[in-house]
Amino acid sequence: MSFTALHPERGRLDATLTGLGQDLPWEGIYRARPRIRLTCPECGHGVHAKLSPRRVRYFAHDPGRSPHCQLSLESADHHLLKRVLAESIRRAGWSADLEVPAPDGSWRADVMATSPSGERRMAWEAQLSPISGDDIQMRTDRYSAEQITCCWVSSRDRVPWLRTVPGIAVTPAHLPEVVEGWMVHDGVVSFGPRRGAWARVGDVTLPAFVRWVLGDGLIFHTIGRRYRRIHLPGSNATVRCSAGWTTQRSIDAESAHEAMRQRQEAAKHVRQERERKAAERREQMERDRQRQEDERHRAEVEERNRRTRIEWERQSAAWEAEHREELRRQRQQAHLQELARLERDRQEQAAAQQW
């Protein structure tokens, strides 16, 4: 299944365009007799014009196609998303070409949008099959190398690569052919200055999103590390998100909030430094007071010890004087006693002589 085919005379046909992009009516190839030989632009195998049950025009491969043709392997959902993207791009005033290959075959854009001036191109990729983050980044880098911006679009519930490259997740319309019914449910964010945080934006139609992106109203922005907790609309829940599509106003609001936060952090640092120095001064004053108190206490102790020593020396001297006086008295008393004894001995001798 494909929306493009190669006409042997008119060249590339696009089933999503009026006149197939070549002023050729659909009836000129659909069930036309004799049959016009149309070929697949990818594998070169024969294709024929068909209508889906919902009357969507496309090209189907003839029997015996190559099993490796990428266009034939794409699902109906993939082709439907490409058609919706092309229609949204055209409504935004840009031209949209489906399944556009690189001149060297290094890439093939699902839908290539070209500005009215022809100076700008943007690839829109419908990515419904699983792909690794490295692979999708490599494919994005190929576009960037040729000055082509891109946006990856998925209608799957889980899109693990959504934050690694410019992309969105969409919800198909109840009637898939109604382009206005396709909604972007993830990938668009807005910064709230009051809350100081990002929030996911809901209720954005896919055509409106495409128009804003092509008109530079939305920019793919890498969110600052401090702001990657994204609030979900209508709830208090949050999710981690590192990038998203947003307006320049939100980017400026984030920058202003970060500048304010840095000023507050700087003021807080100055205040903390001032408080730290004040605390150091108080601690130094307390240490000085404690040192003075210790010195005063030590001086008092030394003074008490000095006075105690002096008192002890005074008492010791008094005790020594008393001791010397006592010895003197004892020697004097002993001398007197000795004199008294000698006097008694003399008196006794005198009395004995008288007898």
Side-chain angles (χ1 to χ4, degrees):
M1 179 179 181
S2 170
F3 287 120
T4 58
L6 296 179
H7 190 281
E9 298 175 357
R10 301 293 185 96
R12 186 182 181 86
L13 305 182
D14 188 334
T16 66
L17 290 173
T18 302
L20 303 175
Q22 297 291 347
D23 293 328
L24 181 65
W26 176 252
E27 294 74 15
I29 58 170
Y30 180 63
R31 295 183 177 179
R33 293 293 183 271
R35 177 181 170 181
I36 299 175
R37 188 178 184 278
L38 305 176
T39 57
C40 172
E42 178 78 12
C43 64
H45 191 76
V47 296
H48 55 279
K50 290 195 68 174
L51 288 175
S52 73
R54 292 182 177 273
R55 311 300 292 174
V56 175
R57 304 185 302 186
Y58 68 96
F59 298 101
H61 281 72
D62 295 335
R65 64 170 174 80
S66 169
H68 304 295
C69 178
Q70 293 300 315
L71 289 178
S72 66
L73 296 176
E74 292 177 352
S75 65
D77 289 341
H78 191 125
H79 285 278
L80 176 61
L81 181 53
K82 289 195 297 185
R83 188 176 68 83
V84 171
L85 287 170
E87 178 63 23
S88 299
I89 292 167
R90 291 163 185 157
R91 291 188 182 188
W94 287 40
S95 63
D97 298 307
L98 283 81
E99 302 152 6
V100 178
D104 61 358
S106 60
W107 49 261
R108 178 173 58 82
D110 284 338
V111 185
M112 181 63 75
T114 305
S115 65
S117 66
E119 296 178 353
R120 294 175 55 193
R121 290 192 298 170
M122 182 172 185
W124 294 78
E125 292 285 350
Q127 186 62 42
L128 305 185
S129 59
I131 187 172
S132 69
D134 291 340
D135 286 344
I136 201 167
Q137 184 63 60
M138 178 183 65
R139 293 172 63 181
T140 301
D141 292 342
R142 288 176 182 171
Y143 286 124
S144 298
E146 299 193 28
Q147 308 301 314
I148 300 174
T149 56
C150 71
C151 181
W152 298 82
V153 185
S154 178
S155 59
R156 297 294 185 240
D157 294 332
R158 294 177 58 83
V159 189
W161 45 261
L162 189 59
R163 310 291 184 261
T164 60
V165 295
I168 55 172
V170 298
T171 302
H174 180 66
L175 296 176
E177 296 82 6
V178 180
V179 178
E180 295 82 357
W182 287 69
M183 305 296 294
V184 178
H185 69 259
D186 195 1
V188 182
V189 292
S190 174
F191 190 84
R194 282 193 173 184
R195 176 181 280 179
W198 290 91
R200 182 184 293 174
V201 178
D203 298 330
V204 177
T205 65
L206 181 57
F209 172 81
V210 172
R211 183 174 68 254
W212 294 341
V213 170
L214 296 180
D216 295 327
L218 288 178
I219 305 167
F220 190 70
H221 171 64
T222 300
I223 297 171
R225 290 185 178 276
R226 292 180 176 271
Y227 302 94
R228 293 183 177 179
R229 190 173 295 279
I230 310 301
H231 293 263
L232 300 182
S235 72
N236 293 323
T238 60
V239 295
R240 296 288 297 178
C241 178
S242 59
W245 292 93
T246 190
T247 62
Q248 186 62 51
R249 180 178 180 180
S250 285
I251 296 174
D252 293 342
E254 182 195 43
S255 299
H257 189 275
E258 177 61 15
M260 178 186 68
R261 187 196 66 78
Q262 291 182 5
R263 289 194 300 271
Q264 292 175 343
E265 285 289 328
K268 179 181 178 182
H269 177 72
V270 170
R271 184 173 65 254
Q272 290 176 340
E273 185 66 16
R274 187 166 55 245
E275 292 174 352
R276 183 186 65 79
K277 290 182 178 180
E280 288 181 352
R281 288 194 297 270
R282 289 193 297 270
E283 291 175 358
Q284 184 62 43
M285 292 173 62
E286 179 62 23
R287 287 194 295 269
D288 293 343
R289 187 197 65 78
Q290 187 64 42
R291 185 175 62 256
Q292 294 172 358
E293 181 67 21
D294 292 343
E295 291 175 353
R296 185 187 63 78
H297 178 69
R298 184 166 57 254
E300 289 177 353
V301 171
E302 290 177 352
E303 179 64 19
R304 285 196 301 268
N305 291 339
R306 187 185 67 82
R307 290 179 180 180
T308 301
R309 184 173 63 257
I310 292 173
E311 180 64 21
W312 172 255
E313 291 174 350
R314 187 189 63 77
Q315 291 182 359
S316 296
W319 292 340
E320 183 66 24
E322 289 179 1
H323 180 63
R324 287 195 301 270
E325 182 64 24
E326 181 65 23
L327 289 177
R328 188 188 66 75
R329 285 196 304 268
Q330 289 178 359
R331 285 194 298 270
Q332 185 179 9
Q333 185 177 2
H335 178 67
L336 293 174
Q337 289 176 351
E338 182 64 23
L339 291 176
R341 185 185 64 77
L342 293 174
E343 181 61 27
R344 285 194 305 273
D345 289 346
R346 187 187 65 76
Q347 291 177 359
E348 288 177 357
Q349 289 177 1
Q353 288 176 359
Q354 291 179 358
W355 291 346

